[in-house]
Amino acid sequence: MRLKNSFPPCRWTPSSALAALAATLGIALSGAAVAQVINNPPILPQEITVFPERDFTSISGFAPNADVLVQLIRNRVAVGEARGKTDATGFLEVNHPGGVCWKDVTPDIGPADVVRVTYRNDVPTAVKNSGAATTTQNVTAAQAFDAGDGTVVVKGRALLASGSRIALNRLEVRIVNPEFIGGLGSRIAKRDIRADSAGGRMDGADGNPISGTRGTLAYESATATTFTAVFSGLNPDERLLVVEGQTRVMAWQQTTTAGDRLGMTIYEVGQFGGPGIGGCPPGPNGVVAPQNPGAPVYYLPANLLDASLPGNQFALKDVTVFPERDFISIAGFAAGTELQVVVRRNTLASPVVGTARGIVGRGGIFEVNHPGGVCWSGQTPDIRPGDRVDVFQVMQGQFYAGQTQRVIDARVTRSAFITATGEVRVDGAATDASGAPLSLQLMEQRIIQPDFNDTRIGRRDIRADTTGGRVENIPGATGWLLRTGDATTSSDWRAVYTGLNATEQQLAVAGQSRAMAWLSTNGNGDRFGMTIFEAGAVGGPGMSGCPAAGNASIAILP
């Protein structure tokens, strides 16, 4: 069984409905395939969903374990190609973790491009060269904003190839934010809210729309191709979560009488194209070759507050390092603050392997090598355990004040697996600066799986720590973090989850296993100097236009 994805589920169409739809499209169907038919849009159960901002496509409903050819067709010419094998459920992705790469070049998918999937060999249900295709819809939008009148608004555009507008009943605007569930002041019980021509949907804990809320979608005039989505009835906390979420526009080519959507395009505001997996080929404009990092503002590392010292906690901001993705997230500085970020490695003469600089935006979040943030200068550093990450404020072009933290060596050595007794386990190892075992009091293990939201758990993660962890809404369920091996010399640890049913166990195995470690904590449980290891994540440029990875180093010079 294929696990649910974040894009909208489609219902299976009965054979009679399929036949009716096929007749409408002028396609002959029979119990066994007898012709090389390529349906555009796909006919269920086949689905091809295009994510043009990430040059990514998701394919499902094809024959299991089948060799397929995926082509990007532009003006009847193939400009991109990928080959792969569907899994046991008929599922495959291109340019997305767990999937296959585009060959030779990662194409920049645009409006009217056709993603075509065909079988490379005969299969029991289809002949070679038959398949399906989706035409990329021309939809765009800007990020949701608070209109100041109790509503959150999204502005966008939707065009057919003819220049006229896409029918409103083939459009939907979604805001995706996992923090809707359990967020401070939030009544929303799903990871997304929706606006459409029927009034949208913002569901509460009972599974029904929250009273007084609406998500309307309308064109701005009788002939306009520009549209406005308005989310109303939300409280101030919910509106803030909406603005901080990801804005998406969904458009599809046809809707069946059963309400199924065929030929889906999902436009994701703030996402960037190019290779979506480490080792995939560059985009059509090539890669940004690595060079030396840009020189940072002159500073003395000794003047930075060390995040490992409890006495400095009162002045520290939240700096989280994701070494597997060479990504850093910073919170707590006021909007408009200019920040310098430096990654240092243990070479005394030229320690700097990464630098980035920019202005903190509205909301107080500053990120490096992540969509919506800034690139590393010169090269994307391969951030490693033991590296130092310095973050400091720049005023009038000079060092003002800041902090430093060591990247912790905490990692997952075996992602989630199910034991014969029904436990879910995750194995890992963690050491401190001296190479000794890291105290488990400074660690937490999490399994991230958005589909937990649709189980008893009702949130996107489960957690293991030394106090029994957090497995929401399941009485008696636990997540224990334990030392394996010698208690004083072994750096190995194990997370053990109990109380999950068979579906929840399978979802845990399909989720992402993380190891979280920090340098110090206070009496309130606040954590300082965080490192998050993400099993399966790949480093390198995190968005289009960022420089390639490199290990050149430079000195800190006045």
Side-chain angles (χ1 to χ4, degrees):
M1 180 180 71
R2 177 166 65 89
L3 299 175
K4 247 183 359 181
N5 289 291
S6 59
F7 44 86
C10 288
R11 296 185 297 276
W12 290 77
T13 304
S15 58
S16 58
L18 265 178
L21 179 62
T24 300
L25 298 177
I27 298 168
L29 295 177
S30 66
V34 295
Q36 295 175 353
V37 176
I38 299 175
N39 300 305
N40 186 354
I43 295 178
L44 294 177
Q46 292 180 340
E47 297 177 78
I48 301 172
T49 303
V50 184
F51 300 79
E53 294 308 283
R54 286 190 283 166
D55 306 323
F56 150 46
T57 187
S58 179
I59 301 155
S60 63
F62 280 71
N65 305 310
D67 290 319
V68 295
L69 171 66
V70 184
Q71 294 173 297
L72 186 72
I73 310 297
R74 181 175 299 152
N75 297 325
R76 304 191 179 206
V77 176
V79 297
E81 176 183 309
R83 299 187 181 196
K85 177 174 283 192
T86 61
D87 68 11
T89 69
F91 180 71
L92 177 69
E93 292 183 326
V94 180
N95 199 39
H96 193 252
V100 298
C101 296
W102 293 105
K103 182 183 177 183
D104 298 329
V105 64
T106 297
D108 181 14
I109 301 178
D113 286 349
V114 175
V115 176
R116 184 170 69 189
V117 182
T118 53
Y119 291 106
R120 297 177 60 203
N121 304 293
D122 290 345
V123 296
T125 57
V127 298
K128 180 180 178 180
N129 296 328
S130 66
T134 288
T135 300
T136 306
Q137 301 297 286
N138 188 358
V139 287
T140 57
Q143 179 67 18
F145 64 92
D146 193 323
D149 58 358
T151 67
V152 176
V153 173
V154 174
K155 299 280 190 178
R157 192 169 189 176
L159 286 162
L160 294 170
S162 64
S164 59
R165 62 193 189 185
I166 297 174
L168 201 61
N169 61 4
R170 288 197 282 115
L171 292 174
E172 182 177 280
V173 172
R174 291 192 184 185
I175 308 294
V176 180
N177 189 343
E179 299 304 318
F180 285 147
I181 303 170
L184 180 65
S186 176
R187 298 166 296 166
I188 303 168
K190 287 188 176 179
R191 65 190 295 266
D192 63 59
I193 59 174
R194 309 175 186 187
D196 57 33
S197 59
R201 193 172 185 106
M202 286 167 268
D203 287 348
D206 60 359
N208 295 314
I210 300 168
S211 178
T213 62
R214 281 180 63 78
T216 61
L217 181 64
Y219 280 108
E220 295 181 349
S221 73
T223 59
T225 57
T226 53
F227 63 78
T228 300
V230 179
F231 296 91
S232 58
L234 299 172
N235 65 39
D237 291 320
E238 292 162 343
R239 293 199 299 272
L240 181 60
L241 289 170
V242 173
V243 171
E244 292 176 344
Q246 184 194 70
T247 300
R248 296 182 179 181
V249 182
M250 308 170 71
W252 51 98
Q253 293 172 250
Q254 292 183 12
T255 307
T256 69
T257 55
D260 301 306
R261 301 167 176 183
L262 309 178
M264 178 69 72
T265 296
I266 301 180
Y267 178 92
E268 304 164 292
V269 177
Q271 293 288 351
F272 293 87
I277 324 172
C280 283
N285 296 320
V287 299
V288 180
Q291 303 176 37
N292 285 345
V297 171
Y298 178 68
Y299 72 109
L300 296 174
N303 291 338
L304 300 172
L305 299 176
D306 191 330
S308 68
L309 301 178
N312 292 331
Q313 290 173 351
F314 74 97
L316 295 176
K317 309 299 184 185
D318 293 327
V319 177
T320 304
V321 183
F322 300 79
E324 297 308 288
R325 286 190 285 160
D326 307 320
F327 154 45
I328 294 176
S329 180
I330 301 163
F333 288 93
T337 302
E338 185 174 7
L339 292 183
Q340 174 79 69
V341 181
V342 179
V343 179
R344 288 183 288 131
R345 197 157 290 158
N346 57 358
T347 52
L348 297 180
S350 54
V352 175
V353 295
T355 66
R357 189 170 168 183
I359 305 296
V360 177
R362 188 177 67 173
I365 303 296
F366 184 84
E367 293 184 326
V368 183
N369 200 39
H370 193 253
V374 300
C375 295
W376 293 105
S377 69
Q379 66 182 20
T380 297
D382 177 19
I383 300 178
R384 306 171 184 173
D387 286 350
R388 280 275 176 180
V389 173
D390 303 335
V391 177
F392 58 86
Q393 188 173 348
V394 176
M395 293 186 67
Q396 297 181 346
Q398 296 183 329
F399 169 82
Y400 179 69
Q403 62 194 69
T404 184
Q405 65 192 59
R406 174 180 53 84
V407 179
I408 304 170
D409 186 2
R411 59 195 182 278
V412 172
T413 57
R414 185 179 181 185
S415 293
F417 62 98
I418 304 169
T419 69
T421 58
E423 295 177 342
V424 173
R425 295 182 179 178
V426 178
D427 291 339
T431 58
D432 63 17
S434 67
L438 182 70
S439 169
L440 295 186
Q441 305 295 325
L442 297 174
M443 274 201 64
E444 180 178 281
Q445 196 281 316
R446 292 189 186 184
I447 298 176
I448 310 297
Q449 172 57 275
D451 286 325
F452 282 150
N453 285 320
D454 297 324
T455 70
R456 297 178 298 168
I457 297 166
R459 61 179 297 149
R460 68 190 292 266
D461 63 55
I462 56 178
R463 310 176 185 186
D465 58 31
T466 57
T467 63
R470 186 167 181 168
V471 182
E472 293 282 8
N473 302 316
I474 303 179
T478 60
W480 287 101
L481 189 62
L482 311 169
R483 179 75 64 196
T484 56
D486 185 273
T488 57
T489 62
S490 175
S491 62
D492 296 333
W493 52 262
R494 170 169 290 165
V496 180
Y497 294 93
T498 63
L500 303 177
N501 63 31
T503 297
E504 292 155 350
Q505 292 169 11
Q506 292 294 335
L507 288 172
V509 170
Q512 184 191 67
S513 298
R514 294 184 179 181
M516 306 172 64
W518 51 95
L519 296 172
S520 66
T521 189
N522 62 18
N524 295 325
D526 300 313
R527 300 162 177 180
F528 302 92
M530 178 74 74
T531 297
I532 300 181
F533 177 97
E534 304 164 290
V538 180
M543 49 187 176
S544 180
C546 287
N551 287 305
S553 60
I554 63 171
I556 301 174
L557 297 173

